Amino acid sequence: MKRRSLDPELPSESAELSLCEALLSLKNTEEMNAFLRDLCTPAELEVLVDRWRVVPYLLDEVPYREIHERTAVSITTIGRVARFLNQGNGGYLAAAARASRRRAARKKA
């Protein structure tokens, strides 16, 4: 995918940080859902959801074929997510850990 900046005065790194700041500014899941639905096409959102859906299975070391059978996510996508879980930037792991802590806190409440 070609990386470019629509505004030559705003480097793509600054635009990426601006997007991160926008995501962090949202207060709840309803705002995040609205933002993602405005930002992404339905197909793009489906790809993001599919990737996120397989993370818990991969963390539980469920075999790829079984993940595919449970989620209908392609083996290629499952492999891609697994690669980033193991060799990526730590984003999946951080988000999964925080999501797990939030779920546990809600169960206690």
Side-chain angles (χ1 to χ4, degrees), residues 41-53 73 77 80-81 92:
T41 66
E44 290 166 338
L45 190 53
E46 182 179 14
V47 168
L48 294 174
V49 169
D50 283 351
R51 289 177 183 176
W52 183 245
R53 183 183 304 161
V73 174
T77 296
R80 182 176 298 120
V81 173
Y92 278 128

Side-chain angles (χ1 to χ4, degrees), residues 1-108:
M1 177 167 60
K2 184 177 179 182
R3 292 187 147 262
R4 62 179 168 74
S5 176
L6 294 178
D7 180 353
E9 294 186 20
L10 184 63
S12 61
E13 295 81 21
S14 295
E16 185 173 324
L17 289 176
S18 176
L19 174 60
C20 291
E21 289 170 359
L23 290 166
L24 286 170
S25 74
L26 300 169
K27 294 182 176 133
N28 54 45
T29 55
E30 290 80 15
E31 286 185 5
M32 180 65 73
N33 191 19
F35 183 78
L36 289 174
R37 289 180 178 279
D38 288 345
L39 180 67
C40 301
T41 66
E44 290 166 338
L45 190 53
E46 182 179 14
V47 168
L48 294 174
V49 169
D50 283 351
R51 289 177 183 176
W52 183 245
R53 183 183 304 161
V54 303
V55 169
Y57 293 109
L58 289 167
L59 292 174
D60 287 342
E61 299 181 0
V62 175
Y64 289 15
R65 285 263 174 233
E66 188 175 337
I67 296 170
H68 170 70
E69 289 168 7
R70 291 183 186 185
T71 64
V73 174
S74 75
I75 299 292
T76 302
T77 296
I78 295 166
R80 182 176 298 120
V81 173
R83 186 173 61 250
F84 279 97
L85 269 170
N86 295 317
Q87 302 168 354
N89 298 293
Y92 278 128
L93 291 174
R98 289 197 182 111
S100 178
R101 285 194 296 270
R102 277 194 300 273
R103 282 191 302 275
R106 273 189 244 131
K107 285 181 183 178
K108 288 181 181 179

